[in-house]
Every structure is written in C-alpha cells, then in structure tokens.
C-alpha cells in the first residue's frame, strides 16, 4: 500500500515507492473507479484496467457506479491471482491472455443491441452482465436461481476458473485426474446446461457437490470449486491481517489451510448469526469436494 499526497491528483504526478516511479491509473484520475498505480512508462492504465475490453456507458451515472463495483471486484480477483503466482497476461499482449467485457442487455436498457448478455467465459474473454452490480437485481437473481451465494466477486472468481482450466490442466495425466474427480468434460456443454436449467427447480442438490450449479457440467463443477478455493485463500489472508487466530497467511500446506478454513468459516457464520444475518459461508464441504480442492491446490502448488 502507498499513501498518496495531496499533490498526487494530477495526471503527471509521480509517486516513488521502493525506488520505483509510479503514477495514478488513468481510470482513477478521470473516473475515480481505480486505486492501483502504474509503473510502466508505456501505459496510462494499471495492470487490472489494462485487461478491460468493453466498459459500460459512462454517460449514465448508474452505470458508472456499477462499473466502479465491477472494477473493485476485478482488482480483488487479480490480486489473488498474482498472489498465487498465476499468469495474468492481457489479450492485448497475448491472444491467449485474459480480457473483460462489461456489457448490458435490453432487460435493463432497451436502447442497447443485445437481447441477452450472459455472464460467462470464452477463450480468455470474461463477460459480466453489468446488472450483476445492482444489489437488488442480483438478489432477485439469487432467489430465482436458488443460489445460496451469489456475489459480484463470486462471478469473477468462477469465470476465471474456466480460463485457468485450460492453462493448468494441460496434460493427459492431469485430464485423467480431473475426470476421476469431476467427470467427463467432453460431454456436450450446451446440452448439459439446457438440461440443468430445465430441471433447476426440481432436481435436488447432491450433497457431494459444492453447489447446485456444480451439478450442471464438469466444467461448472470445476469453476465452482476454483471460486471456493479463491474465497478460502482471500478470506484467510484478510483475517490474518486482523490477527484473527483462525486465520492463515501460508497456503502451501493444503491440510493446514483446510483446517484453518473450517475454523474461520464457523466463526464467520456465528458472527453473522449474532447480527441476525444469513451465514457468510453457507456450504458444507463433502469429502469429494475436499479432494477437488486439494486437486486445485496441487495445480497451483505443484510438488
């Protein structure tokens, strides 16, 4: 963290930290939606903002507020990925890299071209429907889809899982290990999702699966587990900064990490119940889910 001085608001203001010359991101200066700094003399944008492909209509004040929430969640994701030493390279540098589209459809804005914008991933391009940044609309969607945990940050983490699936599971041996745990990912994805949504409200939740949506297809199961791994790591690290006993800053030992997460999630849920709120982490991790989390961990921390 770097504390900015009052005179650091202009576009050409230089901040020095650890002998590195830094500047405020252009999206901080012009739109107040970013708090990261830029070290490269060749760019006006920070690492996170450089990943943007499409942003909302900034002439609409509500959309600008939604964009600020989207950028906050994206920075949190990017921080976690960098902390885990995962590759974060933009599509403007590498065609197989990462990029983000923040788009809207006619359900919330009749003036746009798109009838439906689905939050999803396609070859490194992560699309987020910006209506997810509206708390009321997101809560309606959470109730409608019966998703216990639906957050903006959760969407980013889930969709990043689809991207890193192809980055990390890149050998026949790893694909075999994946199928042993998650199932055959070559099953037709489109057909599987149609079947899932058709039966979404009548098919019971398999307690061995981390979420109801994880039942739709092995790829979605993977993305759900990946997101939960990031939930776990980030929350444990944050708790550690506040010196909470049930926290951790070391994650190379997955067994110790899972024990700490069990303790911390119980604490979080108990605190929420004391405030009359719903559980912060409303999930029970089955033995199968724990094996899947260990598989994700092994890809990030290969022995």
């Amino acid at each position: 963290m770097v504390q900015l001085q009052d005179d650091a608001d202009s576009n050409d203001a230089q901040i020095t930290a650890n002998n590195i010359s830094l500047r405020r991101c252009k999206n901080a200066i012009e739109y107040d939606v970013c708090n990261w700094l830029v070290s490269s003399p060749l760019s006006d944008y920070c690492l996170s903002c450089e990943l943007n492909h499409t942003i909302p209509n900034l002439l609409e004040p509500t959309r600008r507020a939604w964009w600020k929430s989207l950028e906050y969640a994206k920075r949190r994701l990017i921080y976690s990925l960098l902390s885990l030493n995962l590759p974060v390279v933009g599509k403007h540098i590498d065609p197989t890299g990462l990029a983000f589209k923040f788009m809207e459809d006619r359900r919330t804005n009749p003036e746009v071209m798109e009838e439906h914008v689905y939050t999803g991933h396609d070859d490194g391009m992560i699309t987020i429907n910006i209506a997810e940044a509206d708390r009321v609309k997101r809560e309606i969607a959470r109730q409608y889809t019966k998703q216990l945990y639906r957050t903006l940050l959760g969407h980013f983490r889930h969709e990043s899982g689809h991207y890193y699936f192809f980055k990390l599971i890149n050998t026949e041996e790893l694909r075999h290990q994946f199928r042993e745990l998650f199932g055959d990912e070559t099953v037709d994805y489109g057909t599987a999702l149609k079947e899932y949504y058709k039966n979404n409200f009548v098919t019971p939740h398999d307690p061995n699966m981390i979420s109801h949506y994880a039942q739709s297809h092995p790829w979605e199961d993977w993305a759900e587990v990946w997101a939960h791994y990031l939930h776990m790591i980030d929350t444990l690290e944050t708790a550690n900064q506040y010196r909470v006993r049930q926290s951790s800053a070391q994650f190379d030992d997955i067994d110790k990490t899972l024990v700490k997460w069990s303790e911390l999630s119980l604490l979080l849920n108990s605190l929420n119940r004391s405030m009359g709120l719903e559980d912060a982490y409303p999930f029970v991790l089955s033995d199968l889910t724990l094996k899947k989390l260990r598989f994700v961990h092994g890809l990030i921390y290969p022995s």
Side-chain angles (χ1 to χ4, degrees):
M1 301 291 290
V2 178
Q3 182 177 358
L4 301 182
Q5 302 300 318
D6 291 339
D7 60 355
D9 291 330
S10 64
N11 194 15
D12 57 354
Q14 299 288 317
I15 304 113
T16 301
N18 298 324
N19 296 319
I20 300 175
S21 180
L22 304 169
R23 307 185 317 282
R24 287 161 58 88
C25 177
K26 188 175 182 179
N27 281 340
I29 298 166
E30 297 188 355
Y31 303 111
D32 189 30
V33 297
C34 181
N35 67 347
W36 279 15
L37 300 174
V38 184
S39 60
S40 170
L42 302 178
S43 178
D44 293 326
Y45 297 97
C46 71
L47 173 61
S48 178
C49 289
E50 274 193 326
L51 300 176
N52 287 343
H53 178 279
T54 305
I55 62 173
N57 179 5
L58 301 185
L59 297 178
E60 294 282 346
T62 301
R63 275 53 176 178
R64 185 179 293 196
W66 288 358
W67 184 35
K68 189 170 186 175
S69 297
L70 289 159
E71 290 296 340
Y72 177 87
K74 174 157 65 74
R75 288 195 304 275
R76 189 117 201 170
L77 167 69
I78 300 304
Y79 168 79
S80 293
L81 299 176
L82 293 172
S83 297
L84 294 170
N85 292 317
L86 291 164
V88 180
V89 180
K91 277 191 172 295
H92 61 289
I93 297 174
D94 181 352
T96 68
L98 195 58
F100 293 85
K101 284 183 179 180
F102 301 141
M103 299 180 67
E104 187 173 14
D105 61 36
R106 291 185 178 179
R107 290 174 294 179
T108 53
N109 185 354
E111 296 183 1
V112 300
M113 295 290 294
E114 292 76 13
E115 289 288 346
H116 288 86
V117 170
Y118 295 101
T119 294
H121 166 267
D122 182 18
D123 192 27
M125 183 68 71
I126 292 177
T127 300
I128 305 288
N129 188 318
I130 65 172
E132 290 288 344
D134 183 279
R135 294 182 180 181
V136 174
K137 291 180 174 61
R138 189 170 65 250
E139 178 59 22
I140 292 172
R142 187 179 77 87
Q143 295 291 339
Y144 179 76
T145 59
K146 297 184 178 180
Q147 293 179 351
L148 297 176
Y149 183 84
R150 187 185 181 103
T151 67
L152 197 54
L153 180 54
H155 282 307
F156 278 91
R157 287 173 172 162
H158 175 100
E159 299 307 333
S160 75
H162 290 299
Y163 173 70
Y164 284 101
F165 174 88
F166 295 100
K167 291 291 184 182
L168 299 176
I169 304 178
N170 50 17
T171 68
E172 281 301 320
E173 175 58 27
L174 288 175
R175 280 187 282 271
H176 174 73
Q177 294 176 25
F178 172 87
R179 290 166 187 163
E180 288 274 302
L181 291 170
F182 294 88
D184 184 3
E185 83 284 3
T186 63
V187 171
D188 187 82
Y189 181 71
T191 301
L193 285 190
K194 286 181 182 178
E195 189 68 19
Y196 169 77
Y197 284 114
K198 183 177 70 174
N199 299 313
N200 187 23
F201 305 114
V202 296
T203 302
H205 174 215
D206 181 349
N208 284 317
M209 307 293 277
I210 199 166
S211 69
H212 197 293
Y213 188 50
Q215 298 173 198
S216 61
H217 189 275
W219 276 342
E220 297 302 340
D221 187 13
W222 156 267
E224 287 285 272
V225 172
W226 175 272
H228 279 254
Y229 184 86
L230 296 183
H231 294 333
M232 177 175 65
I233 297 302
D234 191 15
T235 309
L236 284 168
E237 182 184 6
T238 301
N240 183 261
Q241 292 297 312
Y242 287 90
R243 300 180 182 177
V244 177
R245 179 177 61 82
Q246 302 87 343
S247 67
S248 180
Q250 299 294 326
F251 307 112
D252 53 336
D253 188 321
I254 185 59
D255 291 324
K256 290 181 180 178
T257 299
L258 290 171
V259 169
K260 285 292 188 181
W261 178 239
S262 177
E263 295 172 351
L264 182 61
S265 60
L266 285 173
L267 173 63
L268 290 172
N269 289 343
S270 296
L271 290 172
N272 267 28
R273 292 175 189 180
S274 296
M275 295 294 293
L277 301 172
E278 295 183 358
D279 286 354
Y281 190 74
F283 301 94
V284 176
L285 303 182
S286 67
D287 289 341
L288 178 59
T289 295
L290 293 174
K291 290 179 182 177
K292 293 172 181 177
L293 286 167
R294 287 186 172 92
F295 176 72
V296 170
H297 178 84
L299 295 171
I300 296 173
Y301 293 95
S303 56

